[in-house]
Amino acid sequence: MAKVPNGYVLYQGPSNIDGKPIVVIATGFANKSANGKTGDMIQTWIIRQDIAPHLAVKSGDDESICGLCIHRPALREQVEATGEKFIPCYVKTFQAPLSVYNGFHRGIYPVASHDDIAKLCAERMVRIGSYGDPYAAPIALWRAMTSKALGWTGYTHQWRKAGIDWAKLVMASADSLADMLEAHTKGFRTFRVTAKPFENVKGVEAICPASKEKGALTDCATCRACMGTGGKAKASIQIARH
């Protein structure tokens, strides 16, 4: 019996953000994710095709896959100039993203069509953008990936650019109360990170059930509250920075 690949190439082409070459790779088909917060989910990695992720972060070329996310190191001075504290992205690019990048260049991931990926993700939970912003890739890819899935999580910092079609798939990443309110006017539910626990706006935001402040009552794969407007959850989500 042929060995099941752990990952597949889902997209190779220009970034929807700046037109530079990116690749989207999904992993977790043969080996379960070890991420305790998310639980067992198919992971997706959005990376530059031509620049290793830990180097792209240093050079600023991660803009192709992260856009104007204020947690990019290249934007540190810009953020601090506004008087805000710079909070770097939590993803360690020299770990999983680099491993996936190296695997791609070794040719270990077969290419999957949209039909293939829909079948592969059937009855599985999917994490849209384990690293990178989903908006960098075509929306048709994510629609195919989630079409037969049990559910998904997804977040974008590009919600000011993204049309209402994206709101069904992803949460708008909000870095302030003003962000949250603006995103809501555009039809998005939001995922807002705050400096302290329990800063949710009553009647508008629920506290993330998988957060430390809620005692990690569940994981993302079970919770399914971050499916944009495509799931059952109606309230937006708030979590304290960790």
Side-chain angles (χ1 to χ4, degrees), residues 3 13 36 43 69 102 113 150 170 177 199 215:
K3 184 179 179 181
Q43 309 287 325
C69 172
N102 289 335
S113 67
L150 287 175
V170 297
L177 186 60
E199 292 190 331

Side-chain angles (χ1 to χ4, degrees), residues 38-54:
T38 65
D40 181 28
M41 302 178 74
I42 298 299
Q43 309 287 325
T44 58
W45 311 90
I46 307 158
I47 53 180
R48 281 287 295 257
Q49 282 193 44
D50 55 341
I51 306 172
H54 67 304

Side-chain angles (χ1 to χ4, degrees), residues 25 27 41-46 90-91 97 127-132:
I25 296 167
T27 62
M41 302 178 74
I42 298 299
Q43 309 287 325
T44 58
W45 311 90
I46 307 158
Y90 66 91
V91 178
R127 189 179 178 195
I128 302 176
S130 307
Y131 175 62

Side-chain angles (χ1 to χ4, degrees), residues 17-229:
I17 295 172
D18 65 1
K20 300 293 178 61
I22 66 169
V23 59
V24 180
I25 296 167
T27 62
F29 296 95
N31 305 318
K32 289 186 177 183
S33 169
N35 189 317
K37 183 179 184 299
T38 65
D40 181 28
M41 302 178 74
I42 298 299
Q43 309 287 325
T44 58
W45 311 90
I46 307 158
I47 53 180
R48 281 287 295 257
Q49 282 193 44
D50 55 341
I51 306 172
H54 67 304
L55 299 179
V57 165
K58 293 178 181 178
S59 66
D61 289 301
D62 59 334
E63 180 178 358
S64 305
I65 52 96
C66 291
L68 296 177
C69 172
I70 65 170
H71 305 293
R72 290 177 51 225
L75 298 182
R76 179 169 191 151
E77 289 186 7
Q78 183 177 320
V79 171
E80 292 180 339
T82 67
E84 295 292 326
K85 180 181 179 181
F86 175 72
I87 308 296
C89 178
Y90 66 91
V91 178
K92 294 179 173 59
T93 51
F94 60 86
Q95 294 182 342
L98 179 58
S99 177
V100 171
Y101 174 86
N102 289 335
F104 168 69
H105 282 280
R106 293 198 309 273
I108 68 171
Y109 303 122
V111 175
S113 67
H114 284 187
D115 285 343
D116 291 335
I117 198 60
K119 294 175 182 176
L120 286 164
C121 291
E123 301 303 310
R124 294 291 304 273
M125 283 295 296
V126 175
R127 189 179 178 195
I128 302 176
S130 307
Y131 175 62
D133 195 299
Y135 181 73
I139 193 171
L141 162 62
W142 308 120
R143 285 173 171 164
M145 196 171 192
T146 58
S147 62
K148 298 180 181 180
L150 287 175
W152 64 89
T153 62
Y155 312 88
T156 182
H157 266 96
Q158 317 309 312
W159 48 269
R160 289 184 173 89
K161 293 182 178 180
I164 191 64
D165 289 348
W166 284 89
K168 185 176 181 180
L169 286 168
V170 297
M171 310 286 283
S173 294
D175 295 299
S176 66
L177 186 60
D179 277 358
M180 181 194 78
L181 295 173
E182 183 182 350
H184 287 176
T185 67
K186 296 179 180 296
F188 284 85
R189 292 175 62 232
T190 54
F191 186 89
R192 186 167 68 102
V193 179
T194 59
K196 298 177 182 179
F198 306 109
E199 292 190 331
N200 60 305
V201 177
K202 303 299 186 292
V204 177
E205 296 173 308
I207 300 167
C208 172
S211 64
K212 291 181 180 179
E213 53 266 35
K214 288 290 283 187
L217 299 175
T218 185
D219 57 29
C220 298
T222 305
C223 175
R224 306 181 193 180
C226 289
M227 293 172 60
T229 60

